[in-house]
């Protein structure tokens, strides 16, 4: 199992090699119904479960890609992982972007 951490080290493990920067990206489209429900939530308040679910899916997909890339390099872990969330949109359409970046390492 690959260790993924936001810290720059793994407790009780020594980093023996830095294999390079790895990344994973997920661009998820929302649909008109999510956008309409989110607009209602914006007016009346509360959490938007539909957007929370799509963000969760995008995060998992980005971390999955990051893990796969690290595994191809023979890594035991990815340290210093940073997650970035962005939106792009226009004409009533919204795309959610999650990027995961980190450093693939071998542990000893």
């Amino acid at each position: 199992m690959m260790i993924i951490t936001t810290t720059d080290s793994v407790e009780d493990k020594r980093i023996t090699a830095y294999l390079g920067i790895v990344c994973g990206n997920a661009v998820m489209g929302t649909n008109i119904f999510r956008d309409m429900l989110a607009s209602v939530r914006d007016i009346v308040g509360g959490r938007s479960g539909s957007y929370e679910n799509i963000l969760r899916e995008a995060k998992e997909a980005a971390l999955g890609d990051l893990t796969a890339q690290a595994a191809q390099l023979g890594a035991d872990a990815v340290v210093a992982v940073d997650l970035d969330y962005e939106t792009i949109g226009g004409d009533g359409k919204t795309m959610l972007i999650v990027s995961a970046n980190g450093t693939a390492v071998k542990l000893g």
Side-chain angles (χ1 to χ4, degrees):
M1 179 162 155
M2 180 86 55
I3 297 170
I4 306 295
T5 181
T6 58
T7 62
D8 60 358
S9 62
V10 177
E11 189 172 343
D12 297 327
K13 301 285 184 183
R14 186 172 62 89
I15 294 174
T16 59
Y18 292 88
L19 304 176
I21 296 171
V22 290
C23 65
N25 300 293
V27 180
M28 308 290 273
T30 61
N31 62 39
I32 191 165
F33 299 112
R34 279 193 186 112
D35 287 343
M36 287 185 334
L37 289 171
S39 295
V40 170
R41 285 286 181 201
D42 191 34
I43 294 168
V44 299
R47 295 173 67 165
S48 174
S50 60
Y51 275 130
E52 287 175 354
N53 289 337
I54 199 78
L55 280 170
R56 189 174 301 111
E57 289 175 26
K59 181 185 96 172
E60 289 171 6
L63 288 173
D65 288 352
L66 174 122
T67 301
Q69 195 176 78
Q72 286 180 339
L73 295 175
D76 299 314
V78 181
V79 297
V81 172
D82 177 55
L83 293 168
D84 293 312
Y85 297 84
E86 298 290 333
T87 60
I88 56 174
D91 297 329
K93 297 178 184 92
T94 303
M95 301 291 282
L96 303 171
I97 305 166
V98 177
S99 297
N101 301 284
T103 303
V105 298
K106 289 292 279 181
L107 301 174

